[in-house]
Amino acid sequence: MKGIVFTEFLELVEDKFGLEMVDRIISSSELASDGVYTAVGTYSFSEMLQLLQHLSENTGISIDNLLLVYAEHFFSVIEKSYPGLLATYKDPIEMISSIENHIHVEVRKIYPDAELPTFEVIEKTDDHLVMDYTSSRAMHHFGLGLMNKTFEHFNSTATIELEKIKEDGTKVRFVINKN
Ligand code: HEM
């Protein structure tokens, strides 16, 4: 997992819960990195999982809800860092259905070692999209947060439902209806 995902995460934790919480979740995790991340480095996903687990235990907020809020923050990082990529799109359904064939393809050119999910488009119309998410990381709520913000970015809203295809969340169907 890319360092930028860690550095932005810890900044958000500091913002919302304070530096003490950052120290607490780092010191209660077993981290090969010792909790020192650079934006361009690459670190084990198990480090992110431990940080999320300890934050969840300390705040009583579920990992899914933490990932949702974190993704909503991460979207603003994307808006700042990759404005050109977003400017390619005029419509949220077009953008979300292009993650697999365009957006994450570009991301992989920038970060060849990025760990990205797979999105398969099942149904698509102008205002409706069904897409299956597959990833060993089960970060579907990170995807949900990015999708919410994608609609907001285009001054639009949608109802997005998740159906777990695999109980452990490694395969999830997103049913998206533009309002
Ligand atoms: C992961 C970039 C749009 C879904 C990532 C990562 C980056 C990235 C850098 C981390 C990879 C790693 O740490 O190894 C971008 C950029 C986007 C974009 C630049 C737009 C211009 C989206 C959108 C979605 C999405 C709209 C919504 C569905 C995900 C998910 C992950 C991810 C779910 C977590 C990894 C996983 O589940 O396996 N993306 N992304 N991305 N992205 Fe995107």
Side-chain angles (χ1 to χ4, degrees):
M1 176 151 275
K2 294 311 297 177
I4 190 170
V5 182
F6 288 88
T7 54
E8 290 295 334
F9 175 72
L10 292 175
E11 265 181 45
L12 185 64
V13 173
E14 184 180 340
D15 256 23
K16 302 268 183 200
F17 303 106
L19 197 53
E20 230 173 73
M21 183 64 89
V22 174
D23 287 341
R24 190 180 307 170
I25 64 173
I26 287 177
S27 57
S28 51
S29 302
E30 281 173 32
L31 307 172
S33 68
D34 291 327
V36 181
Y37 303 103
T38 67
V40 292
T42 302
Y43 307 90
S44 156
F45 173 67
S46 78
E47 297 206 3
M48 180 52 72
L49 202 55
Q50 288 187 69
L51 295 170
L52 280 166
Q53 257 152 7
H54 291 128
L55 185 61
S56 175
E57 283 161 19
N58 278 289
T59 59
I61 303 169
S62 69
I63 289 184
D64 280 352
N65 276 326
L66 290 171
L67 279 172
L68 178 74
V69 172
Y70 176 40
E72 293 185 347
H73 165 77
F74 197 75
F75 193 84
S76 64
V77 177
I78 290 175
E79 282 180 317
K80 258 180 258 146
S81 309
Y82 309 99
L85 211 45
L86 293 184
T88 328
Y89 295 96
K90 290 187 210 74
D91 174 86
I93 299 250
E94 280 307 323
M95 177 168 149
I96 292 167
S97 62
S98 304
I99 299 167
E100 184 69 22
N101 294 333
H102 175 228
I103 293 177
H104 279 172
V105 174
E106 294 303 316
V107 171
R108 190 169 298 289
K109 288 183 194 164
I110 308 167
Y111 308 117
D113 55 356
E115 295 178 292
L116 298 165
T118 304
F119 283 103
E120 184 191 355
V121 175
I122 308 294
E123 287 169 25
K124 179 175 177 282
T125 67
D126 287 349
D127 53 9
H128 172 79
L129 180 65
V130 178
M131 218 165 62
D132 286 356
Y133 161 92
T134 308
S135 168
S136 61
R137 289 165 291 284
M139 288 175 71
H140 41 82
H141 269 63
F142 189 77
L144 179 61
L146 291 177
M147 288 182 196
N148 285 337
K149 284 289 169 182
T150 301
F151 278 92
E152 212 179 288
H153 177 82
F154 293 101
N155 295 313
S156 177
T157 57
T159 306
I160 305 178
E161 284 164 41
L162 272 73
E163 298 166 7
K164 278 192 183 168
I165 297 173
K166 286 195 183 157
E167 198 46 51
D168 64 2
T170 56
K171 186 157 189 184
V172 173
R173 175 158 293 180
F174 284 87
V175 180
I176 304 165
N177 283 294
K178 206 168 168 178
N179 294 325

